Amino acid sequence: MGSHPTIRQVMAGNPLISTIKCIAGTRRSFLLSEIVPYLDEPLPVDEMYRAIAPELPRLGLTATPRGRDVEITKLVPPQPYLLDDGGRTRTGAFLEKRELPPALATAIEQYITKKVGKPWDDPVTLDRLRKAITSQKDDYWKPLHKRSLRYTKGYSVLGYLAYHFPVYFLQTEHLLLRLAGDGFMKKSMTVLDAGTGPGVVPLAIADFISRLDGVKASVYSIEQSEEHIEAFLYLRDAFVPRGGPVSVKPPKKADIREPLPASLPERFDLIIFSNVLGEFAGRDGDARAAIVSRFAERLAPGGAVVIIEPADEENSTRMRTLAASLEPAGLFVHSPCPLFRGTACKAPRCWSFATAPAIRPTRLMETLARCDEPYRYINTDIKYSFAVLRRAGIRREGARGVPLTRFLLLSKLHLHEGKRVNTIIAKMSAELGDAKNHLFKVCDGTAKAPVYAVLPAFHRTEGNEALISAGYGSVLELRGVLVRYNRAHDSWNLFVNRNTEVREAGGHGE
């Protein structure tokens, strides 16, 4: 017992918070009035509560009024949901179809008809939708400070529903499957989607959970555009069954840069930022980190923040830098980045994204494509960058049981240029090469410059096939790879030939 600090000793740092933490470590619940004897200067209960209330979510505690007192209770994380064979099979069957659920596709058509007062396939309606989609695409590729569209009014919202919504919906379902496999689903969970737009994420969550057994969720969202909220509610009412396992709440009208609406729950198991934070980069300093940090204060124990951005180099690298910058706020990247070396990657020029099979175009897309430039209106490729962040102390292992000391750190490649080495990496891209050379971005969290694994097509064998077949985020052992430096791009190449052995070492892969 002598090795454990007393409450008085712990209080030497931050008296009130330290005392709360110390008592919570030994008791499941207690009254605030009970800690008064341990304070050098006694404080009224209401004053103590005002001081500690903002810190309670971070400490995994909750408060309940008890007359003139306040009871502090340790939160018990909800039971994790382990994806069973039935849920995996049903989800796999849905994803194999590669199509937006018919009921949702029909609801989008009907909403467009309702909004414009003409059939969705009326020539005038189609022409205006094409113009909205073209304007959005042209605007997207402008420098951030010159963009003007925000997909928030009139035909811009309808164009978003026609062109972006189907891909983002299926993309979210793929990511939810990954989250379920990583243990982020709970049997009963509360989710917040920040900047929800027309409700892609909440509707995808409702659809995903409908194929699981014994899971229920309450999904909240924030959106400042009334046009998006109107579309969201129409699609929700048409697609999400009342009384089902998922309750999709009406969006709270607010700007995510402002304090969270008071009517939201105190804690969330998942907080999602999907294709929204990139809009703030470069406008008013790095406001994105402040936004994420503020929302993360509402994470439940074991909860996670998920950031999703487009896969283009500018957005992807900016998102990686953002994720790495959140460590001072107590948020650490859990996936897809490798952490098996015990260090968090600082994301030097990191362009990394996930892919999934292209979706089938909706009837609306196909109708829009009946024109002189059909390619402009078909959007089926799933490519996205994401980061899952958790509180300190909860990290993905990735290479459990592997003797890491036998494998070269990627930060030491410069000492072995021109030599063959054994190393262990995480596969951090889909195919980046061509018919002659397979190319994949790889990482171990230590590299100071980008690293790529290169496999010439004529050297492909059964022994190195895993480099191609392994999923995004998979951890691989590479034995006998040749180290080369690419001076033109300040990057390193690991050349895999027919004598190189590649095998999965553990970790997560799709």
Side-chain angles (χ1 to χ4, degrees), residues 33-113:
S33 60
E34 295 179 57
I35 73 170
V36 172
Y38 300 105
L39 299 176
D40 292 331
E41 297 182 7
L43 297 172
V45 166
D46 59 344
E47 188 174 332
M48 286 192 290
Y49 175 68
R50 285 196 299 273
I52 67 170
E55 296 295 318
L56 291 178
R58 181 179 63 81
L59 298 174
L61 303 172
T62 186
T64 305
R66 300 296 185 204
R68 295 184 177 181
D69 214 328
V70 177
E71 183 179 19
I72 304 299
T73 305
K74 187 184 301 184
L75 287 171
V76 179
Q79 287 185 296
Y81 167 77
L82 301 178
L83 192 61
D84 58 22
D85 290 341
R88 191 178 296 276
T89 298
R90 288 188 291 271
T91 301
F94 166 76
L95 293 176
E96 283 183 8
K97 293 180 180 178
R98 298 184 291 116
E99 66 179 14
L100 192 68
L104 190 51
T106 299
I108 290 174
E109 294 173 354
Q110 292 173 340
Y111 181 69
I112 293 173
T113 297

Side-chain angles (χ1 to χ4, degrees), residues 69-394:
D69 214 328
V70 177
E71 183 179 19
I72 304 299
T73 305
K74 187 184 301 184
L75 287 171
V76 179
Q79 287 185 296
Y81 167 77
L82 301 178
L83 192 61
D84 58 22
D85 290 341
R88 191 178 296 276
T89 298
R90 288 188 291 271
T91 301
F94 166 76
L95 293 176
E96 283 183 8
K97 293 180 180 178
R98 298 184 291 116
E99 66 179 14
L100 192 68
L104 190 51
T106 299
I108 290 174
E109 294 173 354
Q110 292 173 340
Y111 181 69
I112 293 173
T113 297
K114 172 181 176 292
K115 282 294 288 183
V116 304
K118 295 181 180 180
W120 65 270
D121 56 355
D122 179 86
V124 174
T125 301
L126 294 173
D127 185 58
R128 290 178 177 174
L129 286 172
R130 292 187 188 104
K131 289 179 179 177
I133 291 169
T134 302
S135 296
Q136 290 170 6
K137 292 170 67 176
D138 291 345
D139 191 67
Y140 177 82
W141 294 110
K142 294 177 182 177
L144 188 66
H145 66 280
K146 293 185 178 180
R147 295 182 192 174
S148 58
L149 292 175
R150 286 292 173 267
Y151 316 118
T152 57
K153 293 183 179 179
Y155 269 91
S156 68
V157 173
L158 302 183
Y160 184 98
L161 292 174
Y163 187 80
H164 295 288
F165 191 105
V167 163
Y168 287 161
F169 183 91
L170 270 296
Q171 170 181 298
T172 303
E173 297 249 14
H174 280 282
L175 183 53
L176 290 170
L177 178 59
R178 176 182 286 271
L179 292 173
D182 273 354
F184 287 104
M185 287 287 174
K186 313 296 182 187
K187 291 184 178 180
S188 178
M189 60 192 304
T190 306
V191 183
L192 176 62
D193 183 32
T196 192
V200 172
V201 169
L203 297 180
I205 291 173
D207 189 57
F208 183 84
I209 289 180
S210 71
R211 288 182 287 274
L212 307 181
D213 295 321
V215 180
K216 60 182 181 179
S218 295
V219 185
Y220 296 81
S221 57
I222 296 173
E223 174 55 45
Q224 63 178 334
S225 164
E226 292 185 0
E227 290 277 351
H228 271 315
I229 292 174
E230 179 185 328
F232 182 153
L233 293 175
Y234 183 94
L235 298 178
R236 180 200 66 168
D237 293 345
F239 182 65
V240 180
R242 292 179 179 271
V246 180
S247 174
V248 178
K249 311 296 184 182
K252 304 294 183 182
K253 188 177 186 306
D255 187 327
I256 66 171
R257 291 169 290 187
E258 301 298 328
L260 276 66
S263 55
L264 287 173
E266 280 296 313
R267 284 159 294 279
F268 297 94
D269 300 294
L270 278 180
I271 297 175
I272 301 175
F273 297 89
S274 180
N275 299 298
V276 64
L277 291 173
E279 296 183 5
F280 303 118
R283 290 183 176 273
D284 46 3
D286 194 4
R288 301 169 303 150
I291 292 171
V292 176
S293 298
R294 179 164 42 80
F295 274 74
E297 293 174 358
R298 305 286 280 269
L299 273 180
V305 172
V306 182
I307 302 174
I308 309 163
E309 292 291 346
D312 64 275
E313 184 173 7
E314 182 181 4
N315 279 291
S316 181
T317 54
R318 189 189 293 127
M319 188 275 288
R320 296 276 167 235
T321 302
L322 167 64
S325 75
L326 288 164
E327 282 196 19
L331 292 172
F332 293 81
V333 177
H334 172 272
S335 61
C337 302
L339 295 168
F340 49 82
R341 288 293 187 180
T343 179
C345 180
K346 300 305 179 184
R349 298 155 43 211
C350 181
W351 182 15
S352 172
F353 56 88
T355 63
I359 72 169
R360 302 182 192 279
T362 62
R363 180 172 66 169
L364 176 54
M365 275 190 212
E366 291 176 333
T367 305
L368 287 166
R370 292 173 191 153
C371 61
D372 293 337
E373 297 179 305
Y375 64 91
R376 287 180 173 268
Y377 310 105
I378 297 292
N379 183 23
T380 59
D381 291 343
I382 297 181
K383 295 181 179 181
Y384 61 102
S385 295
F386 75 93
V388 179
L389 300 104
R390 301 188 78 171
R391 289 294 182 194
I394 310 174

Side-chain angles (χ1 to χ4, degrees), residues 427 429-431 434-435 437-440 453-472 474 476 478 496 502-504 510:
K427 181 178 174 181
S429 78
E431 177 68 76
D434 52 30
N437 293 288
H438 299 285
L439 180 69
F440 304 93
V454 183
L455 170 57
F458 63 87
H459 276 298
R460 182 174 177 178
T461 68
E462 184 176 340
N464 58 39
E465 175 69 26
L467 180 63
I468 298 171
S469 61
Y472 180 74
S474 294
L476 302 172
L478 308 182
V496 177
V502 180
R503 67 184 184 189
E504 294 208 35
E510 290 182 325

Side-chain angles (χ1 to χ4, degrees), residues 396 398-400 402 424 473-477 503-509:
R396 188 169 61 114
R400 195 172 292 168
V402 177
I424 185 167
S474 294
V475 181
L476 302 172
E477 296 177 19
R503 67 184 184 189
E504 294 208 35
H508 178 80

